[in-house]
Amino acid sequence: MNKQSFMRGTFILTVSSFFTKGLGFVNGILLARFLGAEGVGLLMIAHPLLPLFITLTELGLPVAISKLVSEAEARGDQARVKRILAVSLSVTGTLSIVLTSAALFGSKWIASLVLADQRAFYAMVAITPIIPIVAVSAVLKGYFRGRQNMNPLAISDIVENLAQIIVIIGVVNILLPYGIAYAAAGAMAASVIGEGFGLLYLFSMFKWSNRGRAKANPQLAEGVSPKKDHTLRDLLRIGLPMTGSGLIHSVYRAFLPLLITKSLVLYGIGVEMATKEFGLLAGYAIPLLFLPSFFTQSLSTALIPAISEASVDNNSQLMHKHMDMALRIALLAGLPCTVILYLWAEPLTGIIYHAPEAGALLKIVAPLFFFFYFEAPLQAILLGLGKASTVMWNHIMTNIFEVSMIFVLGSNFGTKGVALGFGLGMVLATLLNFFSVASTIGIYFDFRIFFKVGAGVVVMTFCGLGAHSFFTRMHVGQAIELLGSLFISLLAYAATLQLTRALHGGPKTPTMTPVS
């Protein structure tokens, strides 16, 4: 299994994430067409405590595995790598069986407690078996990330999404005549099947890649005295703060549908209409916002082991090189995506979902969501530095703030207020992570990149709007108008970046302005 460089790993994950996001987007379109806004709203409501159970099962171990395996690889300690994986699988396997059983046997009580719409009960039960599959997959993904081999992660995600789409097309169409609640349950079952195919691929790659390693490294089979083996302690030292963060966030996500629907009811909207409005926001607008974020996820996945390895070697220059590259990519890609989602919000939601009314919500969140493109890489840097507890407290403060904003703004301004509260929470999360990184290792800015990218966005905007006006007068159809405008916009943006040399690396660290 060959170790990959930070940039190569990021590139592989970015390409695969592009296809994965595209497949996920197709999946969302199919669900929107089959189930409508009300059915999508049921899907969003259906797994209130699922993230909580997954968090308890994983115990934050995937991040800890990635960091500890990377450190062990840097030291050449292959026996420790094996112990890390064995302990992690034992813990997650046991917990997943216990919690999945509890979720299934307590499903009626859970539904009566947290489901804002009881029609989502069948979908909630259908998604529950995904818990052990996700838990074991997460451990294997953490292992591959720690070895800085991103190929299995990339392909498994594609396999998972392809399987899910195929099952959805068949199952949802079969169950739809029996009612929207059963169709939503079928969609959830498709997610379980897709995740299962992804796990099978990961496991087969793990067995294949370690077949030769075991023969070449007989020390892997050597035992370690329990008194000297601190593997579990080291895993929990990083994993428990992540679990605390995940617990808070999972509880927040579990009660978020109920919170949003209650705030909308207080605003004066009925329960069924509140479910539909929630579907417009959570099922249509927010997936569009997350669609371009595949590059930030790729950066974050590759950053944790890269920063961790540089930290072990006390290589501050390499850490700042990785960080500068990550933030530069986030700016170069995040700003044009934000502008596109804002300017063409209604055409995008109209053409893709046949729901142009979701465009108003998208326009509210898009400018604030720009901060998200930096939030994920900054968090990955903190995790690579071993600052899991800092990430936990940042999450807690963000969740408390976001809950307050969503309830207050939602009950006073309806769905638009909920969207605004969600966006403000994203801003706070990014700022907290930014100042945490700055206070730990410092952040250096080459402010010229902001002017170059800003100039590119201005040129892109004028060219895009001009192209849209031209295509509108040509009466070529809404889809061609949108695609043509976006193509010309991105072409103008890329040309401006090339002219200003924004795509070239910035100056060396000493000439930058530090923020600490």
Side-chain angles (χ1 to χ4, degrees):
M1 189 187 326
N2 296 325
K3 174 182 173 182
Q4 297 160 343
S5 67
F6 169 64
M7 280 306 299
R8 180 175 174 81
T10 301
F11 175 76
I12 291 172
L13 288 174
T14 300
V15 173
S16 70
S17 295
F18 175 78
F19 288 105
T20 301
K21 284 286 183 180
L23 292 172
F25 202 57
V26 171
N27 181 34
I29 294 172
L30 291 174
L31 291 175
R33 298 287 176 87
F34 291 154
L35 303 178
E38 188 176 358
V40 172
L42 288 178
L43 290 179
M44 298 300 105
I45 292 171
H47 44 85
L49 294 181
L50 179 64
L52 175 61
F53 286 140
I54 290 176
T55 300
L56 288 172
T57 301
E58 294 179 352
L59 283 179
L61 295 184
V63 172
I65 294 166
S66 176
K67 177 175 172 56
L68 294 180
V69 168
S70 177
E71 292 175 353
E73 285 280 295
R75 300 188 182 100
D77 190 351
Q78 299 301 323
R80 178 166 169 80
V81 172
K82 184 179 181 181
R83 294 197 303 273
I84 290 169
L85 188 62
V87 171
S88 301
L89 286 174
S90 298
V91 172
T92 55
T94 302
L95 288 175
S96 64
I97 294 173
V98 173
L99 291 173
T100 301
S101 301
L104 289 174
F105 285 115
S107 58
K108 290 187 177 180
W109 176 77
I110 294 171
S112 64
L113 181 65
V114 299
L115 289 187
D117 191 326
Q118 293 300 310
R119 292 177 299 169
F121 171 76
Y122 297 109
M124 184 190 75
V125 173
I127 194 65
T128 302
I130 206 172
I131 295 173
I133 302 175
V134 170
V136 177
S137 294
V139 170
L140 293 177
K141 288 178 180 179
Y143 168 79
F144 284 118
R145 279 195 295 267
R147 288 200 181 276
Q148 298 187 47
N149 179 13
M150 307 304 174
N151 291 340
L153 281 68
I155 299 176
S156 68
D157 286 341
I158 296 175
V159 169
E160 174 189 333
N161 279 271
L162 281 174
Q164 185 175 347
I165 289 173
I166 293 171
V167 176
I168 280 177
I169 292 174
V171 173
V172 173
N173 278 320
I174 293 173
L175 294 177
L176 198 55
Y178 296 96
I180 198 168
Y182 291 102
M188 287 302 197
S191 299
V192 177
I193 295 172
E195 191 73 36
F197 274 99
L199 174 58
L200 286 175
Y201 175 80
L202 284 172
F203 183 74
S204 63
M205 286 301 299
F206 169 75
K207 296 291 290 183
W208 179 81
S209 62
N210 282 279
R211 184 172 51 185
R213 179 178 291 272
K215 296 177 181 178
N217 296 281
Q219 71 268 26
L220 285 176
E222 295 177 2
V224 177
S225 171
K227 294 182 179 179
K228 296 181 180 179
D229 187 13
H230 304 300
T231 302
L232 181 59
R233 183 199 65 184
D234 293 339
L235 285 167
L236 295 180
R237 176 175 52 83
I238 301 171
L240 286 180
M242 292 303 300
T243 303
S245 174
L247 283 175
I248 298 296
H249 189 66
S250 297
V251 171
Y252 159 71
R253 298 295 298 178
F255 287 94
L256 184 61
L258 187 62
L259 174 72
I260 291 176
T261 52
K262 291 296 183 184
S263 66
L264 293 178
V265 169
L266 287 175
Y267 178 68
I269 300 176
V271 174
E272 288 191 7
M273 181 56 68
T275 300
K276 182 178 180 179
E277 291 288 313
F278 179 66
L280 288 175
L281 176 62
Y284 294 175
I286 291 179
L288 268 176
L289 290 167
F290 279 104
L291 180 63
S293 66
F294 59 87
F295 59 87
T296 61
Q297 295 175 354
S298 305
L299 281 171
S300 302
T301 300
L303 262 177
I304 295 176
I307 293 290
S308 178
E309 187 174 13
S311 178
V312 169
D313 297 333
N314 291 319
N315 193 336
S316 176
Q317 184 177 1
L318 183 58
M319 282 192 289
H320 281 91
K321 179 181 177 181
H322 291 328
M323 180 170 60
D324 176 71
M325 191 178 300
L327 297 181
R328 181 182 291 267
I329 293 173
L331 176 66
L332 287 168
L335 192 55
C337 289
T338 300
V339 172
I340 287 172
L341 290 171
Y342 180 82
L343 291 178
W344 284 280
E346 285 87 358
L348 283 169
T349 54
I351 292 173
I352 296 172
Y353 299 118
H354 295 308
E357 62 271 24
L361 302 176
L362 182 58
K363 292 190 90 166
I364 293 172
V365 188
L368 300 173
F369 198 80
F370 169 67
F371 287 83
F372 172 78
Y373 299 107
F374 299 92
E375 189 270 339
L378 288 170
Q379 177 177 300
I381 292 169
L382 288 172
L383 293 174
L385 293 170
K387 299 291 183 180
S389 59
T390 301
V391 172
M392 179 186 72
W393 286 110
N394 289 350
H395 269 303
I396 291 173
M397 289 185 282
T398 299
N399 290 154
I400 293 173
F401 173 78
E402 194 170 308
V403 164
S404 303
M405 289 296 98
I406 286 176
F407 186 77
V408 171
L409 295 175
S411 57
N412 284 278
F413 302 101
T415 314
K416 292 182 178 180
V418 172
L420 181 60
F422 174 78
L424 290 174
M426 190 62 65
V427 173
L428 179 63
T430 305
L431 292 177
L432 289 174
N433 285 339
F434 174 84
F435 287 114
S436 297
V437 173
S439 64
T440 304
I441 59 173
I443 293 180
Y444 297 87
F445 276 136
D446 177 11
F447 283 98
R448 288 176 295 181
I449 187 66
F450 288 95
F451 295 107
K452 293 177 180 179
V453 176
V457 167
V458 170
V459 173
M460 180 190 81
T461 301
F462 280 107
C463 291
L465 292 176
H468 188 266
S469 177
F470 171 77
F471 286 126
T472 301
R473 292 195 300 270
M474 294 291 292
H475 302 290
V476 294
Q478 193 177 23
I480 301 299
E481 291 173 9
L482 177 62
L483 292 174
S485 302
L486 293 181
F487 176 76
I488 292 175
S489 296
L490 294 174
L491 190 63
Y493 178 68
T496 307
L497 294 184
Q498 183 64 30
L499 288 173
T500 59
R501 298 181 63 81
L503 297 176
H504 297 274
K508 294 181 181 180
T509 299
T511 64
M512 297 181 182
T513 304
V515 178
S516 59

